[in-house]
Amino acid sequence: MNAEFERPEGAAADWTIAQDWASYTAQDHAMWDRLFERQAKMLPGRAVPEFLNGLDVLRMTKPGIPDFRELSERLMALTGWQVVAVPGLVPDRVFFEHLANRRFVAGRFIRRPDQIDYLEEPDVFHDVFGHVPLLSNPAFADYMQAYGQGGLRADGLGAIDRLARLYWYTVEFGLIRRDGALRLYGAGIVSSHGESIFALDDPSPNRLGFDLVRLMRTRYRIDDFQQSYFVIDSFDDLLRATAETDFAPLYRALEDQADLEPGDVLAEDRIFTLGTQRHARAKI
Ligand code: PHE
Ligand code: FE
């Protein structure tokens, strides 16, 4: 989440621009295909089946960068969502407003070949491959809308930073339990080759049970793999735990509590894996 900045010339009042699908070059599409194939090969058995199913039902398995209009048509029929293009990061309120209206904002540019493994700003591969498939799932689709409504509310309560942690540890870096095993669903994980392996298989990070308040207390890192991942039991559970809870008293209670560091583990945590933190330590 980010502070206010200026709307680029050519963007509409809601910050959207045309995707201009026809202007992608053969190289742009080839870059998408390369990223897509690498992830599609690895994710079966790692990503939650609803994500893989989303790729299928939205026909994202066909080659090339998806046309947002086609994607929106399919998504609209399934869960009432659309995908709209924006020039880059947008102000918090604009972002929340779109989500609250079932519009997912996505970057239209694609990374350069030297950025295949890491880039700072989300590109169309992260935004569309990472985020859009799960919008075909009704519970997750409702969660994203509720999050947008919650964001507008949090803005009025001065609690955007708290709420941003919820997004980070669920929508971006969430794990889910399925048939006794852990699976990936966070967009930041499934769109990253390295983190798709690290988040499930590496002994370094903690894997802890989802707890709403705990997670809103926890700082996160934006410059490396996560030190802790939080595990939900189901998308229905996530929706219930958030949409049916009034966050205002939680935000107030949190004012008296110290933040937790990304790698902290508490006595009351439900521990799936107690991480060695070897990866994080090696970097300091
Ligand atoms: N129920 C939350 C509130 O009262 C809003 C919310 C819903 C936040 C779903 C996140 C996810 O503010
Ligand atoms: Fe993202």
Side-chain angles (χ1 to χ4, degrees), residues 143 146-147 150 153 163 166 242-248 251:
Y143 173 64
Y147 185 89
R153 198 166 170 234
L163 194 67
L166 176 61
T242 53
E244 292 172 16
T245 302
D246 179 1
F247 282 27
Y251 296 144

Side-chain angles (χ1 to χ4, degrees), residues 188-204:
I189 306 177
V190 296
S191 63
S192 156
H193 186 75
E195 198 144 4
S196 290
I197 296 166
F198 181 86
L200 275 193
D201 298 345
D202 203 281
S204 293

Side-chain angles (χ1 to χ4, degrees), residues 162 217 254-260:
R162 300 289 183 196
R217 283 179 67 192
L254 281 166
E255 282 168 21
D256 308 323
Q257 298 200 36
D259 278 352
L260 298 171

Side-chain angles (χ1 to χ4, degrees), residues 95-236:
F95 178 68
F96 296 140
E97 194 72 55
H98 280 297
L99 292 183
N101 289 287
R102 292 196 174 239
R103 287 188 300 266
F104 190 76
V105 298
R108 63 167 304 283
F109 78 96
I110 191 146
R111 68 195 72 183
R112 297 187 312 262
D114 59 296
Q115 298 170 310
I116 186 136
D117 286 316
Y118 183 78
L119 81 169
E120 264 159 40
E121 252 204 294
D123 70 342
V124 65
F125 187 74
H126 167 81
D127 282 339
V128 172
F129 180 88
H131 285 280
V132 172
L134 275 184
L135 291 173
S136 67
N137 176 263
F140 192 83
D142 286 352
Y143 173 64
M144 289 292 280
Q145 177 179 26
Y147 185 89
Q149 294 162 338
L152 293 170
R153 198 166 170 234
D155 189 29
L157 297 167
I160 282 188
D161 292 349
R162 300 289 183 196
L163 194 67
R165 292 171 178 174
L166 176 61
Y167 192 88
W168 191 264
Y169 283 122
T170 59
V171 179
E172 295 292 355
F173 292 99
L175 299 183
I176 185 168
R177 205 146 60 117
R178 184 62 52 84
D179 302 328
L182 299 185
R183 294 281 182 263
L184 313 172
Y185 76 90
I189 306 177
V190 296
S191 63
S192 156
H193 186 75
E195 198 144 4
S196 290
I197 296 166
F198 181 86
L200 275 193
D201 298 345
D202 203 281
S204 293
N206 303 315
R207 298 178 184 88
L208 309 171
F210 173 89
D211 178 286
L212 178 62
V213 173
R214 197 283 186 207
L215 190 151
M216 289 201 289
R217 283 179 67 192
T218 311
R219 295 171 359 90
Y220 57 82
R221 35 194 320 171
I222 58 168
D223 58 334
D224 198 354
F225 296 153
Q226 299 307 301
Q227 288 179 246
S228 299
Y229 298 93
F230 293 93
V231 182
I232 60 169
D233 286 322
S234 70
F235 295 126
D236 281 323

